[in-house]
């Protein structure tokens, strides 16, 4: 296995290399300008109860967006926090448990009934489980929340035609990914979707694999939504770099104090780390682009496996087969 592939494979190397990545010199994409605002735009963001999602919700509200926070917890207090931080009252909260596909369907129904349409969707929520767990969906939890839920949510929103398409700017679908999507050597096509046991030692590796699935899905989605060279949707992905969030909440209690200290000292605050998410949501520089990927505030190609159209097609087919069997889409 080549060395770069091992960068984010376990909690220790992931933390160390995440910190090292922060100090590498890279060319920035640019700055959001004062006139790049989101007044009149409606944004749906998942996982807005904590960390990066919560900070993004505040920043988007400060830019004038109407923000729908789709959350599993924190109703109503996290919404109140966003209102207070942004000075905006245009904040709404809807409940969703992304490990339960019925709950995702309910969320989409509620969006349709209450808001009719949205301009921007940010798929931010994710989990790092300490061990393999069966979710309400009938699939392993990380596979379910970090990949399948995104596939279902996006496709249901598209099926219900909930994106506003008659604006000057294209609808934007933004996936919060991770550089760890580059780690896996290959796709596990043979037993795709099958419950796999893993423990703490392998959870970061599994997390990287599901980020690969999500990033491959993002690229395939962009190809499918923009088939003839005239972009109709922007499908973006990004890695925010290491964030001082609650992502490592399932780390064993004995390591928590040290981890919290390392996160606090070296990782970025969610307020700072959300810059690429906010940039991709609001910047005019990326207007009309069918796809893009940022690592921190620098443009990068996605991993070759994720960008490969054959892999994208195969992933779409395998996922559809898996979900159709369960009548989930
Ligand atoms: N932290 C990092 O260093 C880092 C690095 C690269 C990428 N990222 C990515 O950044 C994104 C945000 O993570 P974070 O770092 O901000 O972690 P976080 O503080 O743990 O936030 C994760 C969010 O996802 C939500 N979530 C988890 N499972 C859910 C479920 N079943 N249904 C609905 N919501 C669920 C959580 O809700 P609850 O509050 O209810 O649990 C929380 O709001 C993730 O996609 C993560 O992979 C993080």
């Amino acid at each position: 296995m080549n060395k770069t592939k091992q960068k984010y494979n376990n909690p220790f190397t992931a933390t160390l290399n995440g910190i090292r990545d922060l100090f590498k010199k890279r060319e920035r994409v640019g700055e959001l300008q004062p006139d790049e605002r989101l007044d009149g735009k409606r944004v749906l963001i998942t996982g807005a109860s904590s960390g990066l999602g919560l900070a993004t919700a505040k920043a988007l509200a400060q830019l004038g967006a109407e923000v729908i926070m789709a959350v599993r917890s924190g109703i109503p207090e996290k919404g109140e926090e966003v209102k207070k931080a942004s000075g905006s009252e245009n904040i709404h909260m809807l409940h969703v448990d992304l490990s339960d596909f019925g709950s995702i369907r309910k969320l989409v129904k509620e969006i349709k009934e209450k808001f009719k349409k949205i301009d921007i969707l940010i798929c931010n929520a994710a989990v790092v489980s300490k061990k393999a767990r069966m979710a309400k969906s009938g699939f392993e939890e990380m596979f379910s929340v970090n990949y399948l839920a995104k596939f279902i949510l996006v496709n249901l929103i598209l099926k219900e035609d909930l994106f506003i398409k008659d604006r000057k700017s294209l609808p934007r679908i933004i996936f919060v990914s991770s550089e760890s999507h580059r780690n896996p050597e290959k796709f596990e096509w043979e037993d795709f979707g099958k419950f796999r046991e893993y423990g703490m030692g392998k959870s970061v590796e599994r997390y990287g694999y599901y980020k690969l699935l999500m990033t491959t899905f993002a690229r395939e989605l962009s190809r499918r939504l923009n088939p003839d060279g005239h972009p109709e949707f922007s499908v973006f992905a990004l890695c925010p770099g290491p964030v001082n969030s609650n992502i490592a909440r399932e780390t064993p209690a004995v390591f928590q104090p040290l981890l919290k200290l390392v996160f606090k000292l070296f990782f970025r605050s969610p307020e700072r780390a959300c810059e690429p998410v906010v940039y991709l949501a609001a910047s005019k520089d990326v207007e009309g682009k069918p796809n893009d990927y940022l690592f921190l505030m620098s443009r990068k190609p996605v991993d070759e496996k994720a960008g490969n159209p054959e892999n994208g097609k195969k992933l779409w087919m395998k996922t559809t087969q898996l979900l159709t069997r369960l009548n989930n889409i």
Side-chain angles (χ1 to χ4, degrees):
M1 195 189 286
N2 92 34
K3 252 188 173 172
T4 54
K5 293 284 176 195
Q6 294 178 35
K7 273 182 76 169
Y8 303 92
N9 251 0
N10 66 59
F12 181 68
T13 55
T15 306
L16 217 63
N17 287 308
I19 295 169
R20 213 178 49 186
D21 275 343
L22 280 178
F23 295 101
K24 279 196 189 140
K25 271 216 156 38
R26 289 184 187 82
E27 197 183 331
R28 274 181 68 96
V29 279
E31 305 285 336
L32 208 58
Q33 299 304 307
D35 67 330
E36 291 179 307
R37 291 189 49 86
L38 289 167
D39 304 287
K41 295 272 176 82
R42 188 175 292 132
V43 186
L44 174 69
I45 175 165
T46 65
S49 56
S50 170
L52 193 76
L54 178 61
T56 304
K58 290 176 189 172
L60 298 176
Q62 275 157 2
L63 290 178
E66 177 179 2
V67 181
I68 308 169
M69 301 164 67
V71 295
R72 172 175 65 174
S73 65
I75 301 175
E77 65 276 11
K78 296 295 174 179
E80 294 306 318
E81 194 179 319
V82 174
K83 284 182 187 172
K84 202 168 161 207
S86 63
S88 168
E89 284 296 312
N90 219 357
I91 312 297
H92 317 276
M93 299 195 88
L94 294 177
H95 176 265
V96 67
D97 179 352
L98 295 164
S99 69
D100 174 357
F101 299 155
S103 178
I104 302 176
R105 279 194 289 272
K106 186 167 156 276
L107 172 73
V108 174
K109 193 165 169 269
E110 278 184 314
I111 294 162
K112 190 177 175 181
E113 284 167 5
K114 292 190 180 146
F115 303 100
K116 296 199 168 52
K117 302 257 179 187
I118 58 170
D119 294 277
I120 300 169
L121 167 65
I122 303 176
C123 293
N124 162 74
V127 59
V128 183
S129 315
K130 67 176 175 209
K131 60 177 184 175
R133 282 192 295 254
M134 187 60 94
K136 282 186 201 147
S137 62
F139 296 99
E140 194 280 313
E141 186 176 341
M142 266 211 273
F143 176 54
S144 203
V145 174
N146 297 6
Y147 169 58
L148 286 178
K150 273 113 183 156
F151 187 93
I152 293 175
L153 178 63
V154 170
N155 278 298
L156 281 179
I157 290 179
L158 288 168
K159 194 170 149 194
E160 294 291 342
D161 195 21
L162 301 188
F163 281 110
I164 300 174
K165 285 184 243 144
D166 53 2
R167 293 215 202 258
K168 263 204 296 191
S169 57
L170 300 181
R172 296 184 185 187
I173 305 173
I174 301 170
F175 294 92
V176 179
S177 183
S178 160
E179 280 291 282
S180 65
H181 86 271
R182 302 180 196 279
N183 258 10
E185 290 283 302
K186 57 184 176 58
F187 289 88
E188 297 159 1
W189 296 129
E190 298 72 31
D191 55 358
F192 186 78
K194 204 171 148 205
F195 187 90
R196 277 182 173 233
E197 289 292 350
Y198 61 84
M200 196 69 219
K202 289 276 178 202
S203 74
V204 172
E205 194 178 312
R206 297 311 299 160
Y207 170 83
Y209 181 63
Y210 300 129
K211 289 293 187 189
L212 170 66
L213 295 188
M214 193 191 74
T215 312
T216 309
F217 163 54
R219 278 300 151 104
E220 178 64 11
L221 183 68
S222 170
R223 281 188 291 271
R224 285 178 185 240
L225 292 175
N226 305 300
D228 56 7
H230 295 286
E232 289 181 41
F233 287 84
S234 292
V235 184
F236 299 147
L238 70 117
C239 171
V243 190
N244 183 11
S245 68
N246 292 313
I247 196 82
R249 64 182 89 179
E250 294 195 26
T251 305
V254 42
F255 299 120
Q256 284 284 353
L258 177 65
L259 205 66
K260 281 203 172 115
L261 184 68
V262 172
F263 270 42
K264 193 162 180 252
L265 289 177
F266 299 109
F267 281 26
R268 287 194 164 162
S269 70
E271 288 70 25
R272 188 163 172 221
C274 73
E275 191 182 3
V277 194
V278 177
Y279 177 84
L280 288 175
S283 173
K284 288 180 188 160
D285 291 347
V286 291
E287 186 53 61
K289 286 190 93 176
N291 61 58
D292 207 352
Y293 178 86
L294 298 186
F295 170 44
L296 301 164
M297 284 296 279
S298 299
R299 187 157 284 126
K300 248 183 131 170
V302 294
D303 183 79
E304 176 275 326
K305 287 185 294 305
N308 181 325
E310 287 309 311
N311 289 336
K313 231 188 283 174
K314 195 162 179 179
L315 177 64
W316 194 287
M317 185 193 73
K318 292 254 177 204
T319 310
T320 309
Q321 283 171 350
L322 201 66
L323 296 174
T324 313
R325 258 188 275 143
L326 297 170
N327 278 333
N328 268 307
I329 52 170

